[in-house]
Amino acid sequence: MSTNSPQPIPSIRPESFPQALRGIAAKVRDGVRLDEADALLCFETPHVLHLGRLADARRRQMHGDVTYYNVNRHINPTNVCVYTYNCKFCSFAAMKGEEHAWEMSHDDVYRRAAEQGGDAVTEFHIVGGLHPDLDMDWYEQMLSGLKERFPRAHLKAFTAIEIGWFAKRHKISIEEVLRRFRDAGLGSLPGGGAEIFHADVRAEICDGKLDAEEWLEVHRVAHRMGIATNCTMLYGHVEKPIHKADHLMRLRDLEDEAPGFNAFIPLAYHPENNYMGLEYHTTGTEDLRHVAAARLVLDNIPHIKAYWVMVTPKLAQVALRFGADDLDGTVVEERIYHMAGADTVQQLSRDELERVVREAGFTPVERDTLYNPIERTPPAPAPAPAASAAAS
């Protein structure tokens, strides 16, 4: 549950931090909310390890030693997208007819869901391109078909970009789009499409795409309808620290106004197979900085996710000491980041995820999409073999 009043952490001693971070450390100690200048400092300071200490203290205050994960599967019904050449950073989208384009039928979607775990899965994560020929009816049927076949699975589907596209295409309100999808089985929204909110950056990396205010409005409407959502930030391309500080402040302001964000996920830009023309990857230090900054600034968003598919399981373990309290899930097939060059594995089992968490010094807790803990019923022991005639 969100809170707008961070609590003091008396164990923090500002004098033990570098001079540049003592003001932030004092605020964390006293339970004072960070301002935009503090957020900017989080993205500029060279003292990332000290920033991590503060974020870890805040994370432990909120969640103790618990680290969450879920049993989820990704389904991307299509990568055909009308914004293929607008989003220069995207390696996922394709124009209709291109060699790497795909379009799944409803039966394909249901088959993929069944092959990837069916009712053992607690969440299907569903996003895709803005296909010019697939209307809302098609997606409503997809949702209702999934819900009919897998009634226990939560359907987390459609970024704000997709919701905005449906509203414009069908000339209906965002609320009507969300209502129709909720009636068909939608449970919550993922956080994709936020990228960087600042107009100058957006003009360079995704010109013509839903702007920041439209993205925020989709989530505002969803929250007011009782539909929980996530939020993200794409970093490591052409943005500057001031743009990232502004981005976090806008997310925090929206959560103050209309609470409903479950988690924030910092997402690193991957340079392969897109039109940005950049060649560098973010470093581990920068990935950890963004986790820590998010935990310190976004005091009203409950969870910070270290998306292991993006940062690798090894760095995700370290991120748990920098403010993250969630690792995402078991996944199985992730296409968006892997088409952009990610070389991580496609799946971690429940046992593997729990081992990663325990070896980092935390307690794994399986959750559903809304962060309710899940207790799996252990399988019944096999019956003892009957005694043989010779033994009787």
Side-chain angles (χ1 to χ4, degrees):
M1 184 173 181
S2 299
T3 175
N4 298 338
S5 302
Q7 299 301 305
I9 305 179
S11 61
I12 294 291
R13 294 186 300 110
E15 65 273 14
S16 69
F17 287 82
Q19 183 67 43
L21 289 181
R22 288 179 186 173
I24 290 179
K27 287 185 175 182
V28 174
R29 177 197 64 193
D30 298 336
V32 176
R33 174 174 262 194
L34 303 191
D35 59 25
E36 190 163 3
D38 298 323
L40 181 60
L41 180 57
C42 288
F43 290 116
E44 292 181 330
T45 181
H47 304 295
V48 177
L49 289 177
H50 292 88
L51 200 69
R53 281 177 56 199
L54 292 171
D56 182 56
R58 178 66 70 200
R59 175 249 201 270
R60 290 178 186 276
Q61 182 191 55
M62 297 174 71
H63 304 291
D65 70 350
V66 166
T67 293
Y68 296 96
Y69 73 93
N70 69 339
V71 177
N72 65 344
R73 300 293 186 266
H74 285 219
I75 299 176
N76 306 117
T78 182
N79 69 335
V80 174
C81 186
V82 297
Y83 286 163
T84 295
Y85 299 116
N86 296 76
C87 295
K88 295 179 182 177
F89 66 86
C90 182
S91 308
F92 170 77
M95 296 296 291
K96 190 172 182 179
E98 288 189 308
E99 184 177 353
H100 62 292
W102 74 79
E103 305 171 22
M104 296 170 67
S105 68
H106 288 149
D107 286 341
D108 291 334
V109 171
Y110 307 148
R111 187 180 309 110
R112 181 69 55 83
E115 290 170 353
Q116 294 191 358
D119 265 338
V121 173
T122 59
E123 172 190 291
F124 288 115
H125 178 120
I126 306 166
V127 297
L130 309 182
H131 197 294
D133 301 328
L134 299 181
D135 60 16
M136 277 192 65
D137 289 341
W138 191 93
Y139 286 99
E140 286 174 291
Q141 292 171 31
M142 179 194 73
L143 290 174
S144 60
L146 281 169
K147 204 65 182 175
E148 178 182 352
R149 290 163 175 80
F150 312 104
R152 293 195 293 272
H154 180 104
L155 304 183
K156 183 174 76 177
F158 311 126
T159 66
I161 308 304
E162 292 168 273
I163 299 298
W165 162 255
F166 290 127
K168 290 179 179 179
R169 178 177 177 182
H170 293 276
K171 297 181 172 58
I172 58 178
S173 68
I174 291 168
E175 183 173 359
E176 176 66 9
V177 173
L178 290 171
R179 184 194 62 76
R180 284 175 56 176
F181 282 151
R182 184 175 61 183
D183 290 348
L186 176 72
S188 64
L189 301 184
E195 324 315 355
I196 292 287
F197 287 146
H198 197 281
D200 291 347
V201 177
R202 227 167 171 80
E204 187 167 349
I205 70 171
C206 54
D207 189 33
K209 190 176 181 176
L210 208 68
D211 66 27
E213 289 309 314
E214 291 171 315
W215 188 98
L216 291 165
E217 179 63 12
V218 169
H219 287 261
R220 180 182 292 112
V221 172
H223 294 178
R224 288 176 173 167
M225 294 175 66
I227 300 172
T229 75
N230 287 341
C231 52
T232 60
M233 179 174 71
L234 182 73
Y235 64 90
H237 41 89
V238 302
E239 87 289 353
K240 295 179 172 59
I242 193 170
H243 301 137
K244 292 182 283 199
D246 169 75
H247 189 98
L248 293 190
M249 299 303 288
R250 293 203 213 187
L251 290 174
R252 193 174 76 180
D253 287 347
L254 178 58
E255 182 66 9
D256 281 347
E257 175 195 346
F261 285 129
N262 269 331
F264 172 79
I265 308 100
L267 299 172
Y269 164 75
H270 280 226
E272 286 84 2
N273 306 320
N274 59 52
Y275 304 105
M276 285 289 289
L278 304 178
E279 298 180 357
Y280 51 82
H281 289 262
T282 59
T283 64
T285 299
E286 283 302 296
D287 292 334
L288 294 172
R289 174 199 298 277
H290 287 79
V291 171
R295 182 63 288 157
L296 291 168
V297 176
L298 300 177
D299 53 65
N300 55 357
I301 296 179
H303 303 283
I304 305 297
K305 185 180 293 187
Y307 186 32
W308 69 262
V309 171
M310 179 194 74
V311 300
T312 76
K314 292 180 180 180
L315 191 61
Q317 285 182 304
V318 183
L320 297 179
R321 302 268 177 184
F322 278 70
D325 65 282
D326 186 79
L327 292 184
D328 197 68
T330 50
V331 180
V332 173
E333 182 181 39
E334 192 283 334
R335 293 189 175 188
I336 294 175
Y337 261 87
H338 282 82
M339 290 177 71
D343 58 3
T344 52
V345 296
Q346 292 274 7
Q347 177 182 11
L348 290 179
S349 68
R350 290 178 68 249
D351 288 345
E352 289 170 322
L353 271 172
E354 292 198 351
R355 181 178 63 84
V356 165
V357 171
R358 287 197 180 96
E359 291 190 357
F362 294 86
T363 300
V365 173
E366 184 182 347
R367 61 166 175 85
D368 65 13
T369 303
L370 304 180
Y371 286 84
N372 299 302
I374 290 176
E375 291 191 15
R376 297 270 175 175
T377 303
S388 68
S392 58

